[in-house]
Every structure is written in structure tokens, then in C-alpha cells.
């Protein structure tokens, strides 16, 4: 046990609760600590991050009015469905053309289409993917998530996207929920609400996609990882709507949840290593980038074209 590692790790977490550290900064701090060997090796970072992210998203539900959630979801449902099936279909054929193994390509496509690592974790067992295929897909998605966290807010400001436009784009074009909410939080509070609501609506497609995947790859096992935090997030929105007398408490929960999301990005940074990035290899990475750029550009063009006629 190295006390110095725990000291710097705790200081990093404390810094996440200060006004000076946002989601992208937290990711960089975590990565730097890892690079310097100042992250405790005994900590199950992946498990802690997954749990904390779930609780944080549920907490965000207490800050989103029900009518706003319904409006945002109804306007974005068509775009969600189109982007998911477009990504899966294009990815399925392109991966075969470039010589990428079918399962690795499909896992990256699923992560791009729905919600990154969560989708890969759910679809992997359904198609009987091995550890190497899972690692390649997760490594590719993880790297692109890290890039999106910095790149998307920058592009949004350059193009003068509104809060709702950016939130919609982030929810469609960024893989993992953590990076979606991190990028949206860096852009603004309304962007965060829009992105979180749409992203979780998109994440619900894990279940049917995993079932379809099992059928496509002729796997008799139907074991699916269901993201139950999405249901609790919806319950939190309903509670906010039905019990308005506790609004002061909801505001506190919402503010705490936004800060714990920053901690999640710090923890993700702590789990990022150069060896893990190299493990993704050139071909899966190039495939993932191509698919990601395609869905990002297409969804952005659609949002900018229709924004004048859309009211969130």
C-alpha cells in the first residue's frame, strides 16, 4: 500500500467538487495521475465508476420536469431510431469490406449506435464475443469518448449551437453516457438536461438490439444486461413532477449529481492507460472513427437543418 497514491487520488476527487474543475479537466487529471503511477492499483475503478454514474444519472432526474422530458424525447425519437439502425446496418457491411472480424465490427457498431461500453457489455454475451473482441471494441469506444468530451463542446461553440441543439447532438453522436453528460455539462445546464434525457431514451434500445443480435449470430443464450438505472431515472422525473413540495431537496440532489458526474470522468481518466489505447490497434480504431464521424456529421446536419422548425 502506497499512502502517496491514496493521497493524490483523494485530492483529485476533492478537486472535482470545486468550481475550477469541469468534466474534461477531471478526465485529464485522472489520466495524468495514472501516467505518473499515482492511482491505487487495488481499487476496482470500473465497478466504482459504473455505480457512481448510475446514481448520478438518477440524481439528474430530480432536476428535469416531466413535461420537458416528454417533449424532448418525442422530438428526438425519430432521430434516435434512424441513427441506431443506420449505424448498425452501415457498420455491418463496412466491417466486412475492410476485413475486420464480424463480431468485433458489430460490437463497435453497437457501441456507436447505442451507448458505448454498456451496449458492448450487453451485446457481447449475446453474440458470444471473446475477451479479445470485447477489449478491442471497448478500447476503441473508450478512446473516441475521451476525444468527444473535448471536441464536441468546441465544435458546438464554433457553430453557435443552442443548448438544445448541442444536447441533442451529443446524445446521438457520443458513445458512452458518461461522455455525453460530461460534454453537455461543459456546454450548459439545458444542454445537460436535453442530452441526458435523449441519451437514456437511446440506451433503452440495448434490450431489443441485444435480442436481435442473439438471433443474427444464432446464439441460444438470451442473457441480457438491463440498465435498470434508466428506469429509476424515469421514476425520479415522475417524483419531481408529482411531489413539487420538495423542490428545494430536488435542487440539492441535482447539484450533487452534477458534481459526482465530474468525479466519474476523473475515475474514467484514472482507468485510462497508454497500453489500453494501443490495444485497440489501427484497423478497429480507423473503423470506429469512420463510423463515428459519419453519424456525427449526419446527425449534426439534420439537427441544424431542422432546428428552425423544431421547438423543444
Amino acid at each position: 500500500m502506497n499512502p502517496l497514491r491514496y493521497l493524490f487520488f483523494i485530492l483529485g476527487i476533492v478537486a472535482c467538487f470545486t468550481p475550477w474543475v469541469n468534466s474534461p479537466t477531471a478526465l485529464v487529471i485522472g489520466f495524468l495521475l495514472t501516467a505518473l503511477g499515482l492511482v491505487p492499483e487495488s481499487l476496482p475503478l470500473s465497478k466504482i465508476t459504473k455505480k457512481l454514474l448510475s446514481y448520478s444519472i438518477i440524481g439528474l432526474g430530480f432536476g428535469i420536469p416531466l413535461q420537458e422530458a416528454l417533449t424532448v424525447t418525442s422530438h428526438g425519437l425519430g432521430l434516435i431510431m434512424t441513427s441506431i439502425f443506420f449505424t448498425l446496418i452501415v457498420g455491418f457491411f463496412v466491417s466486412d469490406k475492410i476485413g475486420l472480424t464480424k463480431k468485433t465490427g458489430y460490437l463497435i457498431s453497437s457501441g456507436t449506435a447505442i451507448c458505448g461500453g454498456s451496449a458492448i457489455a450487453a451485446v457481447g454475451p449475446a453474440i458470444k464475443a471473446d475477451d479479445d473482441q470485447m477489449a478491442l471494441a471497448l478500447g476503441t469506444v473508450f478512446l473516441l469518448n475521451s476525444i468527444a468530451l473535448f471536441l464536441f463542446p468546441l465544435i458546438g461553440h464554433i457553430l453557435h449551437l443552442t443548448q438544445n441543439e448541442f444536447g441533442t447532438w451529443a446524445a446521438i453522436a457520443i458513445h458512452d453516457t458518461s461522455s455525453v453528460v460530461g460534454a453537455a455539462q461543459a456546454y450548459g445546464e439545458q444542454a445537460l438536461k436535453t442530452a441526458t434525457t435523449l441519451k437514456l431514451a437511446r440506451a433503452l434500445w440495448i434490450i431489443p438490439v441485444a435480442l436481435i443480435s442473439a438471433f443474427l449470430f444464432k446464439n441460444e443464450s438470451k442473457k441480457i444486461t438491463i440498465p435498470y438505472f434508466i428506469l429509476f431515472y424515469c421514476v425520479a422525473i415522475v417524483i419531481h413532477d408529482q411531489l413539487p413540495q420538495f423542490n428545494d431537496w430536488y435542487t440539492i440532489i441535482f447539484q450533487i449529481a452534477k458534481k459526482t458526474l465530474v468525479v466519474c470522468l476523473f475515475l474514467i481518466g484514472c482507468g485510462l492507460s497508454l497500453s489500453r489505447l494501443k490495444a485497440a490497434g489501427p484497423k478497429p480504431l480507423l473503423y470506429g472513427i469512420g463510423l463515428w464521424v459519419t453519424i456525427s456529421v449526419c446527425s449534426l446536419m439534420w439537427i441544424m437543418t431542422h432546428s428552425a422548425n423544431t421547438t423543444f
Side-chain angles (χ1 to χ4, degrees), residues 23 53 57 60 176-186 192 196 261 265:
S23 299
L53 178 62
I57 290 173
L60 289 179
D176 276 338
T177 304
S178 57
S179 291
V180 170
V181 296
Q185 185 178 29
L192 175 63
T196 304
L261 282 173
L265 269 298

Side-chain angles (χ1 to χ4, degrees), residues 50 54 58 204 206-207 224-235:
K50 187 176 180 181
S54 299
I58 293 169
L204 288 170
I206 284 179
I207 301 168
I224 300 170
T225 304
I226 302 174
Y228 289 105
F229 69 88
I230 298 174
L231 304 180
F232 290 116
Y233 169 82
C234 296
V235 170

Side-chain angles (χ1 to χ4, degrees), residues 187-310:
Y187 203 78
E189 187 164 312
Q190 185 56 44
L192 175 63
K193 291 180 180 181
T194 301
T196 304
T197 302
L198 273 181
K199 180 61 180 176
L200 295 182
R202 185 180 168 200
L204 288 170
W205 285 84
I206 284 179
I207 301 168
V209 168
L211 286 171
I212 293 170
S213 301
F215 173 76
L216 288 175
F217 286 83
K218 295 181 174 59
N219 184 1
E220 295 179 359
S221 172
K222 297 295 188 295
K223 185 179 179 181
I224 300 170
T225 304
I226 302 174
Y228 289 105
F229 69 88
I230 298 174
L231 304 180
F232 290 116
Y233 169 82
C234 296
V235 170
I237 295 176
V238 174
I239 292 173
H240 175 276
D241 182 71
Q242 296 297 313
L243 300 172
Q245 62 267 35
F246 300 110
N247 273 336
D248 290 342
W249 284 103
Y250 302 151
T251 301
I252 293 172
I253 294 172
F254 182 72
Q255 294 301 324
I256 292 173
K258 289 202 298 180
K259 285 299 180 183
T260 53
L261 282 173
V262 178
V263 176
C264 288
L265 269 298
F266 167 74
L267 295 176
I268 289 172
C270 289
L272 181 62
S273 64
L274 292 174
S275 59
R276 187 174 180 180
L277 296 179
K278 290 178 181 177
K283 189 176 286 187
L285 183 58
L286 291 174
Y287 168 74
I289 291 173
L291 205 57
W292 180 49
V293 169
T294 300
I295 194 64
S296 297
V297 172
C298 290
S299 59
L300 179 59
M301 290 175 62
W302 188 95
I303 291 166
M304 295 181 71
T305 302
H306 290 76
S307 60
N309 302 318
T310 304

Side-chain angles (χ1 to χ4, degrees), residues 54-73:
S54 299
Y55 296 144
S56 299
I57 290 173
I58 293 169
L60 289 179
F62 287 101
I64 299 177
L66 179 60
Q67 190 55 49
E68 181 179 332
L70 293 174
T71 302
V72 169
T73 303

Side-chain angles (χ1 to χ4, degrees), residues 4-265:
L4 194 61
R5 289 183 178 181
Y6 282 92
L7 174 61
F8 278 97
F9 182 76
I10 293 171
L11 287 175
I13 292 176
V14 171
C16 293
F17 287 94
T18 66
W20 304 286
V21 177
N22 57 19
S23 299
T25 307
L27 183 77
V28 172
I29 292 173
F31 176 72
L32 288 176
L33 290 184
T34 299
L36 295 171
L38 296 174
V39 176
E41 296 178 354
S42 58
L43 291 178
L45 292 179
S46 180
K47 279 187 178 179
I48 295 172
T49 305
K50 187 176 180 181
K51 292 278 187 185
L52 186 59
L53 178 62
S54 299
Y55 296 144
S56 299
I57 290 173
I58 293 169
L60 289 179
F62 287 101
I64 299 177
L66 179 60
Q67 190 55 49
E68 181 179 332
L70 293 174
T71 302
V72 169
T73 303
S74 63
H75 282 296
L77 187 59
L79 183 57
I80 290 171
M81 292 178 62
T82 302
S83 65
I84 288 174
F85 288 106
F86 173 79
T87 304
L88 288 173
I89 292 170
V90 170
F92 189 83
F93 288 104
V94 172
S95 62
D96 183 59
K97 292 293 183 182
I98 66 173
L100 193 63
T101 60
K102 186 176 291 185
K103 289 185 179 181
T104 300
Y106 190 80
L107 287 173
I108 295 174
S109 299
S110 300
T112 305
I114 309 173
C115 56
S118 299
I120 292 170
V123 172
I127 66 173
K128 287 188 176 179
D130 60 34
D131 290 343
D132 288 340
Q133 291 163 340
M134 294 280 285
L136 283 172
L138 287 168
T140 300
V141 165
F142 193 91
L143 176 59
L144 297 182
N145 271 315
S146 303
I147 296 171
L149 192 62
F150 294 92
L151 189 61
F152 270 58
L154 178 62
I155 294 174
H157 286 301
I158 291 173
L159 296 177
H160 303 291
L161 297 181
T162 67
Q163 293 282 310
N164 287 310
E165 287 170 350
F166 182 83
T168 302
W169 185 44
I172 297 299
I174 301 178
H175 307 73
D176 276 338
T177 304
S178 57
S179 291
V180 170
V181 296
Q185 185 178 29
Y187 203 78
E189 187 164 312
Q190 185 56 44
L192 175 63
K193 291 180 180 181
T194 301
T196 304
T197 302
L198 273 181
K199 180 61 180 176
L200 295 182
R202 185 180 168 200
L204 288 170
W205 285 84
I206 284 179
I207 301 168
V209 168
L211 286 171
I212 293 170
S213 301
F215 173 76
L216 288 175
F217 286 83
K218 295 181 174 59
N219 184 1
E220 295 179 359
S221 172
K222 297 295 188 295
K223 185 179 179 181
I224 300 170
T225 304
I226 302 174
Y228 289 105
F229 69 88
I230 298 174
L231 304 180
F232 290 116
Y233 169 82
C234 296
V235 170
I237 295 176
V238 174
I239 292 173
H240 175 276
D241 182 71
Q242 296 297 313
L243 300 172
Q245 62 267 35
F246 300 110
N247 273 336
D248 290 342
W249 284 103
Y250 302 151
T251 301
I252 293 172
I253 294 172
F254 182 72
Q255 294 301 324
I256 292 173
K258 289 202 298 180
K259 285 299 180 183
T260 53
L261 282 173
V262 178
V263 176
C264 288
L265 269 298

